[in-house]
Amino acid sequence: MPRNIYDEDHEAMRASAREFVTRTLAPRADEMIAAKSIPRDIWLEAGKQGFFGLDIPEEFGGAGVDDYRFNAVVAEEMSRFNAATSSCFGIHSDVCPPYIVDLGTEEQKQRWLPGMASGELICAIAMTEPSGGSDLAALKTTAVRDGDAWILNGSKTFITNGYRADLVIVAARTDPSKGAKGITLLMVERGMEGFVNGRKLDKVGMDESDTAELFFENVRVPDENRLGPEGMGFISMMQRLPQERVGAAVSNVAHAKAILEETIQYAKDRKAFGQPIGAFQHNKFLMAELVTKIEVAEAYVDDCVAAHAEGKLSAVDAAKAKWWSSQVQNDVLDHCVQLHGGYGFMNEYRVARAWRDARVTKIWAGSNEIMKELIGRDLGF
Ligand SMILES: Cc1cc2nc3c(=O)[nH]c(=O)nc-3n(C[C@H](O)[C@H](O)[C@H](O)COP(=O)(O)OP(=O)(O)OC[C@H]3O[C@@H](n4cnc5c(N)ncnc54)[C@H](O)[C@@H]3O)c2cc1C
């Protein structure tokens, strides 16, 4: 199916992202797996090449592109390399900047956005806590007013870019009596006394991403680091989650599509009983189904990207794209592993890693159950 949402300019951006993957990322793939993170110099190079500042206005060092399709093509190319790099870069450059661009004061924008665009300030967003992520309104990290500052206490977990983060958007409870309306966003900076980036968590997949716990012990956060009005943190997050979810959907489809293409080639090359394994009717039909699934998912996600580029994507449609694409991705990659036989279970094959990496996409960015909850509510239940 020809895709019709991208024009020449988007394809030029795709070409430069693909070039970046080939020249800068691919030769260091093993290094990133061993380090369980993306080295600083790669962050800086990605910034230099303009992949981080798409949502950031030019006056603050970004590209000031008001067209989400550019973000989407970059996400697709990073996901074709691997899902972890796409998620780390995506949180930094797709998820976090809109918070500061939309909610930040002039001074905050000047302080943080140029470094985010250049890759010098790695950003993370910390909502989830050890006690729970789905019920965001029940978060327990507290920030108590003390003169011109907030005293922050608590901890966050599973935070993407958490280990390397220089700057973290932290959701904290500033008014215990107000539930969701008692949550405020605070910008916590590396080096603040009492802020500790915890260990890199030992995950089942996404090896290259430095997912970490974050600890806050009496961290004095100046009020000038408050992002947006007091008590508006929950609403601010709800308003920006659709972008995170459509970004996740783009990555899910692109990632599965890349591995499926490799699997189809494998099924042509690998022989059993004197013929390519793909020639057995069972496998041929299976691959026909998988290609169809991917293309149908891609068409829906493309529509969501186009709608989001026009500012018209609803939270419910973003939820549909997120849960469906992650389910399709997991289904497709499971079959891709099977088609690789024993090699599909070996880490040296990309398919094995991709299969492990994909599992979390049904859990994060709002679990698939929470996505269905949102869709169900929209149906009137
Ligand atoms: C690798 C990784 C990276 C992540 N990155 C980040 C990050 O950068 N920032 C961040 O803030 N968080 C991040 N997360 C956290 C992620 O968003 C949460 O794990 C997710 O929201 C689920 O929260 P939980 O783990 O506390 O599960 P819980 O909320 O405890 O849920 C447990 C189970 O119960 C189900 N459940 C909960 N409520 C309902 C309901 N109402 N109806 C039906 N089922 C329900 C859930 O779907 C899930 O299956 C990351 C997680 C991982 C694993």
Side-chain angles (χ1 to χ4, degrees), residues 127-133 141 154-158 213-215:
M127 307 181 201
T128 307
E129 303 188 347
S131 58
T141 293
S155 64
K156 300 284 178 178
T157 195
F158 309 142
E213 296 168 285
L214 303 177
F215 301 98

Side-chain angles (χ1 to χ4, degrees), residues 8-252:
E8 276 175 17
D9 292 339
H10 303 112
E11 292 307 331
M13 174 61 95
R14 181 190 301 287
S16 75
R18 197 167 280 197
E19 171 83 8
F20 172 72
V21 168
T22 310
R23 271 178 193 258
T24 308
L25 296 181
R28 299 177 65 184
D30 291 342
E31 180 190 336
M32 288 189 258
I33 291 168
K36 289 195 187 297
S37 67
I38 302 170
R40 277 268 170 190
D41 64 294
I42 291 187
W43 283 94
L44 295 175
E45 186 58 27
K48 203 159 116 191
Q49 305 233 355
F51 299 125
F52 290 156
L54 295 169
D55 280 328
I56 296 175
E58 280 178 278
E59 57 189 304
F60 301 113
V65 179
D66 190 18
D67 177 353
Y68 187 74
R69 292 173 296 174
F70 286 100
N71 304 47
V73 289
V74 172
E76 283 190 359
E77 292 309 310
M78 298 306 155
S79 304
R80 289 181 67 86
F81 171 57
N82 67 43
T85 306
S86 173
S87 87
C88 292
F89 283 0
I91 291 282
H92 172 79
S93 66
D94 247 20
V95 175
C96 293
Y99 282 85
I100 299 164
V101 171
D102 300 346
L103 304 171
T105 62
E106 187 67 17
E107 185 274 330
Q108 288 175 330
K109 291 179 193 178
Q110 276 171 11
R111 192 145 49 109
W112 297 316
L113 291 175
M116 288 170 70
S118 68
E120 282 159 294
L121 281 185
I122 297 176
C123 201
I125 183 159
M127 307 181 201
T128 307
E129 303 188 347
S131 58
S134 301
D135 187 3
L136 205 51
L139 62 82
K140 294 188 166 66
T141 293
T142 57
V144 177
R145 189 80 192 219
D146 180 31
D148 60 356
W150 297 89
I151 306 300
L152 184 66
N153 277 290
S155 64
K156 300 284 178 178
T157 195
F158 309 142
I159 305 307
T160 302
N161 297 336
Y163 185 77
R164 279 206 190 279
D166 302 297
L167 193 59
V168 187
I169 303 170
V170 177
R173 179 163 301 290
T174 45
D175 187 339
S177 69
K178 286 200 180 143
K181 289 185 181 153
I183 294 171
T184 302
L185 300 179
L186 298 176
M187 299 298 286
V188 174
E189 297 173 78
R190 179 177 286 280
M192 283 182 170
E193 206 178 328
F195 168 43
V196 176
N197 305 62
R199 68 193 168 94
K200 290 179 207 162
L201 296 169
D202 183 15
K203 307 190 294 295
V204 165
M206 298 274 180
D207 287 338
E208 304 85 344
S209 99
D210 65 319
T211 316
E213 296 168 285
L214 303 177
F215 301 98
F216 313 102
E217 201 183 327
N218 292 324
V219 183
R220 194 174 175 84
V221 184
D223 189 51
E224 65 202 30
N225 278 30
R226 173 171 45 80
L227 196 59
E230 205 178 317
M232 286 295 285
F234 185 81
I235 291 169
S236 301
M237 290 186 283
M238 291 306 120
Q239 286 170 338
R240 282 157 195 83
L241 279 169
Q243 173 145 328
E244 177 168 358
R245 287 171 186 157
V246 71
V250 165
S251 298
N252 292 339

